[in-house]
Amino acid sequence: EEPIRGSLCAFLGQVPVNVVGPVQCGQYLFPSGKNDGYAIAATYKDYSRENEPLGTAMESCPAGKHQVLSFIRWQHNLKFQVLKQKKEQIHQATVNHWLSGFVGLLE
């Protein structure tokens, strides 16, 4: 028998999400960054990784590992995506400018 290929995924809407608490209802959920299948609650200011939020917690839970109902939607936060894109454009422009200085030195 051939193994099933692929990954588990969630649909849009109300989805149970594995979290490491504490989590308060209304907080954004982000990937934990540990590749462990869990999310953590954080604000944009507190969360420095380059990941987009997975959704918004619809329930609260104490510290520890839990499953909370969350609201998942496509383009969770357009402002976050636009800021991330601008940051990538600035980074690429900086790299291109830096590299152009080396090209001049090599000629």
Side-chain angles (χ1 to χ4, degrees):
E1 195 171 295
E2 190 172 322
I4 298 172
R5 296 175 189 240
S7 300
L8 296 175
C9 66
F11 293 100
L12 302 177
Q14 297 178 23
V15 178
V17 174
N18 293 329
V19 297
V20 177
V23 174
Q24 296 298 316
C25 182
Q27 284 187 302
Y28 291 118
L29 299 176
F30 291 85
S32 69
K34 299 177 183 176
N35 201 24
D36 58 359
Y38 282 86
I40 58 171
T43 65
Y44 286 107
K45 293 177 184 178
D46 297 333
Y47 196 75
S48 62
R49 293 184 177 84
E50 294 296 320
N51 294 314
E52 295 182 40
L54 301 170
T56 304
M58 297 174 68
E59 301 177 294
S60 299
C61 69
K65 292 184 178 182
H66 302 277
Q67 196 172 70
V68 298
L69 192 61
S70 303
F71 181 60
I72 310 294
R73 64 179 182 249
W74 188 254
Q75 289 188 339
H76 185 76
N77 188 323
L78 189 57
K79 181 179 177 182
F80 180 83
Q81 293 177 1
V82 169
L83 290 175
K84 184 177 176 182
Q85 185 178 25
K86 285 182 181 181
K87 184 177 178 181
E88 290 169 359
Q89 290 171 345
I90 291 169
H91 174 74
Q92 189 60 47
T94 303
V95 169
N96 290 342
H97 179 72
W98 185 77
L99 290 175
S100 68
F102 279 105
V103 171
L105 292 174
L106 296 175
E107 295 176 350

